[in-house]
Amino acid sequence: MSKTSPAAPPSPTLTIRGAALYREIIPQAAQRAILEDIGEVVRQAPLFAPVTARGKPMSVRMTSAGAVGWVSDRGGYRYQALHPRGTPWPAIPDSVLGIWHRVAGPARMPDCCLVNHYGAEARMGLHQDRDEADLTQPVVSISLGDAALFRIGNPARGGKTESVWLSSGDVLVLGGAARLLYHGIDRIRPGSSALLPQGGRINLTLRVAR
Ligand code: SIN
Ligand code: FE2
């Protein structure tokens, strides 16, 4: 085998509704390196508290890296090229892109890394990720810090759902038939990880948005 042949794609620890879960695929040291890189992203593009189009405050705080970032405000939700304060988003760190290359398969390069910060009380209601132009491209979700109870359902609202705890270093891929499934975070488990000095959870979702 030549040195340049890509590493064989890993097999997921489990699949849930067709979403592939790679448990602790990111070793501790690499988690710390990613966290440091995200710290730099947050210094350049501070976390902000989004509101829904109806004006309801979301409990997570967000920012993005990449050519476009995801924002939600009274004008609705959308990808845009500037942080709400009017500055470009920082580049997606190589440490994060490396995870995409390990698990995304033959996909295009992501142009958005959404950073979600969950404090002890934060949650995220069931939703679809469907603002991206090409829905054949996967969404890769990286969990860092406190564990979170992830719920996944169906391509339409309602029906039975399944839940799984996501822990620091876990990576979940929503692709193929799982790409448009409703999903959300019911709660986090405060104190379950020492990775973030202040506690809490950071979720990174890599998307091909445009
Ligand atoms: C999301 O669906 O945008 C976030 C999922 C998560 O926090 O794990
Ligand atoms: Fe999502």
Side-chain angles (χ1 to χ4, degrees):
M1 228 174 32
S2 92
K3 264 202 240 164
T4 52
S5 55
S11 24
T13 315
L14 61 92
T15 59
I16 177 167
R17 301 269 166 123
L21 174 58
Y22 301 89
R23 280 222 190 274
E24 288 181 55
I25 193 174
I26 311 175
Q28 281 281 340
Q31 292 177 41
R32 283 193 292 272
I34 290 173
L35 191 66
E36 250 182 55
D37 290 344
I38 294 302
E40 187 52 39
V41 165
V42 168
R43 274 188 288 281
Q44 291 177 39
L47 292 163
F48 56 92
V51 297
T52 66
R54 292 177 169 180
K56 192 171 174 266
M58 295 178 67
S59 57
V60 298
R61 292 187 303 145
M62 291 181 179
T63 190
S64 292
V68 291
W70 194 87
V71 299
S72 180
D73 57 25
R74 290 308 288 250
Y77 49 82
R78 62 198 173 271
Y79 286 103
Q80 64 179 40
L82 300 178
H83 186 280
R85 67 176 186 175
T87 50
W89 309 98
I92 303 176
D94 286 342
S95 57
V96 178
L97 289 175
I99 305 299
W100 175 270
H101 292 308
R102 275 174 80 184
V103 298
R108 289 164 50 201
M109 286 284 283
D111 54 6
C112 176
C113 174
L114 176 64
V115 179
N116 287 314
H117 180 274
Y118 294 74
E121 303 297 328
R123 56 184 295 279
M124 187 174 292
L126 287 172
H127 67 276
Q128 284 174 304
D129 287 9
R130 60 173 310 149
D131 304 325
E132 299 74 33
D134 179 358
L135 296 172
T136 67
Q137 302 296 315
V139 170
V140 170
S141 162
I142 299 170
S143 291
L144 297 170
D146 284 340
L149 187 57
F150 176 84
R151 182 190 293 270
I152 187 165
N154 302 290
R157 264 194 198 287
K160 285 196 173 141
T161 62
E162 289 177 63
S163 296
V164 67
W165 282 97
L166 299 180
S167 302
S168 200
D170 290 356
V171 174
L172 185 73
V173 181
L174 290 172
R179 178 64 177 76
L180 287 174
L181 298 184
Y182 274 81
H183 60 277
I185 295 292
D186 287 351
R187 63 179 185 275
I188 75 162
R189 191 189 282 151
S192 51
S193 164
L195 186 73
L196 276 64
Q198 320 289 324
R201 171 175 188 255
I202 287 177
N203 170 257
L204 308 175
T205 46
L206 289 162
R207 301 109 181 269
V208 181
R210 296 166 309 171

